[in-house]
Amino acid sequence: MNEIISTKSLSKNYTGIKAVDTLDLGISEGEIFGFLGHNGAGKTTTISMLTTLLPPTSGSGMVAGFDIVKDPLNVRRRIGYLPENVQLYESMTGYENLKFFAHLSELKEPDLAIEQVVSFLDISSYIKKRVGQLSKGMRQRIGIAQAIIHEPKVLFLDEPSSGLDPMGMKQLRDILLKLNQEKGMTIFMNTHLLSEVTAVCHSIAVLNAGKLIYQNSLEETLKRFKDNSSLEQIYFSIETDHSEAAHAVSH
């Protein structure tokens, strides 16, 4: 399949720190992709560059056929983004939030778009309530509605299950699968929760201290590490393999 997200030596340096170090990624259209790594690994910095919120120090990236540096406006038109902490206006209702974002997206028929996304995500029972009165899970679903109201080709999610209870996490998984299967949406998900990966992802990559140390399909990963009884052990095996290889090279 065609790659809808790709990077070549993508890097972001802060003073004395390489937050992302020469990242080479390739993600096929129609995939749910899980980007794994500990806190501070560089996952959020990567997503910030791919969504054009943060300029790279060096290297390049393409999203939905457009260069993230040379053509950021066209990238933004084709993506949706849900940050870890959903950014909504708490004094406004969910509907008013969606109306505002629909106008920002310059949708020709904002009311129809809102009606369709509310129906798709089944949030009609609380869409007229003020956001400040809603639970974390409800806010998350309105945040997703805002991110997909313009029907993007790619949806970026940064730690989407953060703070959700088990029911909220199940509902999130169901939504992601529905978006992927019914709308063909490519989903790029930053996470450190391995249970989310096994439930929804087609492929994974692991970032460690800004460096990509692994990328493969989930199916091939489970085959390669078949002696491990859980994905958590697989995750640590990947990191152990990388550490041992790096140690061998340095000596």
Side-chain angles (χ1 to χ4, degrees):
M1 296 182 69
N2 294 331
E3 288 187 349
I4 195 167
I5 301 171
S6 63
T7 69
K8 186 174 181 180
S9 299
L10 189 68
S11 302
K12 183 64 181 180
N13 300 339
Y14 297 103
T15 307
I17 299 173
K18 290 184 176 180
V20 176
D21 189 1
T22 57
L23 177 65
D24 292 329
L25 271 182
I27 299 161
S28 297
E29 187 172 2
E31 280 194 334
I32 302 179
F33 173 78
F35 203 35
L36 293 162
H38 298 302
N39 291 336
K43 304 189 307 296
T44 296
T45 300
T46 300
I47 244 184
S48 295
M49 289 190 285
L50 292 175
T51 55
T52 77
L53 297 174
L54 190 66
T57 303
S58 60
S60 61
M62 300 286 291
V63 176
F66 295 94
D67 190 289
I68 60 174
V69 174
K70 297 176 181 177
D71 207 350
L73 185 57
N74 269 316
V75 171
R76 290 173 199 156
R77 286 173 175 159
R78 287 160 177 81
I79 65 171
Y81 173 48
L82 186 71
E84 181 175 357
N85 297 306
V86 181
Q87 303 297 312
L88 298 169
Y89 295 100
E90 295 200 356
S91 62
M92 295 164 60
T93 65
Y95 181 88
E96 289 168 341
N97 271 275
L98 293 185
K99 187 88 168 181
F100 175 72
F101 286 112
H103 283 299
L104 279 184
S105 298
E106 300 179 343
L107 298 182
K108 292 181 179 178
E109 298 182 89
D111 292 328
L112 177 61
I114 293 171
E115 180 183 337
Q116 290 174 339
V117 78
V118 167
S119 174
F120 183 81
L121 295 176
D122 191 23
I123 55 176
S124 60
S125 61
Y126 53 84
I127 195 66
K128 296 294 181 69
K129 293 183 179 180
R130 295 191 185 279
V131 168
Q133 301 173 330
L134 301 180
S135 69
K136 171 75 174 179
M138 292 175 180
R139 290 165 58 94
Q140 188 81 322
R141 290 170 83 172
I142 291 174
I144 293 172
Q146 170 260 306
I148 67 169
I149 196 167
H150 57 304
E151 297 196 342
K153 288 181 174 293
V154 184
L155 176 61
F156 288 94
L157 305 167
D158 194 3
E159 300 287 357
S161 51
S162 177
L164 294 180
D165 60 22
M167 179 57 70
M169 291 172 67
K170 180 187 181 303
Q171 290 172 342
L172 174 66
R173 289 195 296 267
D174 291 344
I175 288 170
L176 297 184
L177 289 170
K178 189 177 180 183
L179 285 170
N180 180 253
Q181 294 167 2
E182 296 186 17
K183 293 187 176 292
M185 200 172 290
T186 304
I187 298 172
F188 185 113
M189 178 172 64
N190 279 357
T191 183
H192 62 269
L193 292 180
L194 302 164
S195 59
E196 298 306 292
V197 169
T198 52
V200 300
C201 290
H202 302 119
S203 64
I204 68 168
V206 179
L207 199 66
N208 187 336
K211 295 284 287 185
L212 184 69
I213 62 171
Y214 184 82
Q215 182 175 6
N216 210 332
S217 69
L218 182 62
E219 181 181 5
E220 289 300 318
T221 300
L222 294 173
K223 286 179 183 177
R224 176 179 171 183
F225 296 94
K226 58 187 176 183
D227 292 335
N228 292 284
S229 60
S230 73
L231 190 61
E232 183 175 70
Q233 288 175 307
I234 291 173
Y235 180 44
F236 289 123
S237 293
I238 291 169
E239 292 206 324
T240 299
D241 286 353
H242 171 74
S243 297
E244 289 176 351
H247 181 76
V249 169
S250 65
H251 288 75

